[in-house]
Amino acid sequence: MDADHPEMPLQGRFVGREHRLAVRVYFEDTDLSGVVYHANYLRWMERGRSDMLRLAGIDQRAAHGAGEGAYAVSDLAIRYRAPAKLDDALVVASRLITIRPASCRIHQRVIRDGLILADADVTAVFVSPGGRARRQPAAWVEAFEQLVWPGVEQAKPKQGVKAGLTGE
């Protein structure tokens, strides 16, 4: 699990427009049977999205601290395809699919040795401190426009289909 490079930084890295984050399955991530508990995929995907934004130059902490707002997940659809198990080396691959004035949609996959274990479509809305949707900062939209995955909509892979981890 090197995400196409033996030196995967802690925050992951971009390969073309796709962000990749390495994750290891620890005992704490599994249930009694040694299979990863379903909610942990969501935790790993959140880390993937956060690190993708950070590497794209998006400072969520500063925006929140300045009272501008923060992202909130408004829609999430996830499909579990195969189980991850104790000590598996995984990659969380994140692709920005669409950008709108107040939201973005991200497609994410959790992959082991090229096999998609789970994939999700996530819509994150930028909200004011009062919880109302508002426009994202212009600089963020500009950064996102450089990362939107070509072809817009991604086909849903079938269970057991190998994941392409090539750049673009």
Side-chain angles (χ1 to χ4, degrees), residues 65-138:
E68 293 178 29
Y71 283 110
V73 172
S74 65
D75 189 57
L76 180 127
I78 188 166
R79 179 177 299 183
Y80 299 98
R81 300 174 179 284
K85 297 181 180 177
L86 180 63
D87 206 37
D88 279 353
L90 310 175
V91 173
V92 178
S94 304
R95 297 176 175 179
L96 186 61
I97 302 300
T98 57
I99 179 74
R100 297 212 158 102
S103 68
C104 55
R105 190 164 63 93
I106 301 165
H107 182 75
Q108 295 184 280
R109 299 169 296 155
V110 177
I111 302 163
R112 179 190 60 229
D113 297 326
L115 182 70
I116 299 171
L117 304 181
D119 66 318
D121 283 305
V122 181
T123 301
V125 176
F126 193 69
V127 296
S128 69
R132 297 190 63 128
R134 64 172 296 185
R135 289 184 176 275
Q136 301 174 80

Side-chain angles (χ1 to χ4, degrees), residues 8-9 24 48 72 76 143 160-161:
M8 175 71 82
R24 172 73 64 184
L76 180 127
V161 170

Side-chain angles (χ1 to χ4, degrees), residues 39 59 67 93 96 107 148 158-159:
D59 191 345
L96 186 61
H107 182 75
V148 173
K158 292 185 173 74
Q159 185 166 357

Side-chain angles (χ1 to χ4, degrees), residues 17 96 99-100 138-149:
R17 297 178 186 198
L96 186 61
I99 179 74
R100 297 212 158 102
W140 295 13
V141 173
E142 288 177 29
F144 286 152
E145 287 172 346
Q146 304 304 310
L147 297 174
V148 173
W149 192 261

Side-chain angles (χ1 to χ4, degrees), residues 37-49 76-78 80 108 110 120 122:
Y37 181 66
H38 72 278
N40 288 323
Y41 293 90
L42 298 174
R43 292 176 47 227
W44 297 331
M45 289 177 179
E46 173 66 31
R47 291 176 192 166
R49 289 190 307 275
L76 180 127
I78 188 166
Y80 299 98
Q108 295 184 280
V110 177
V122 181

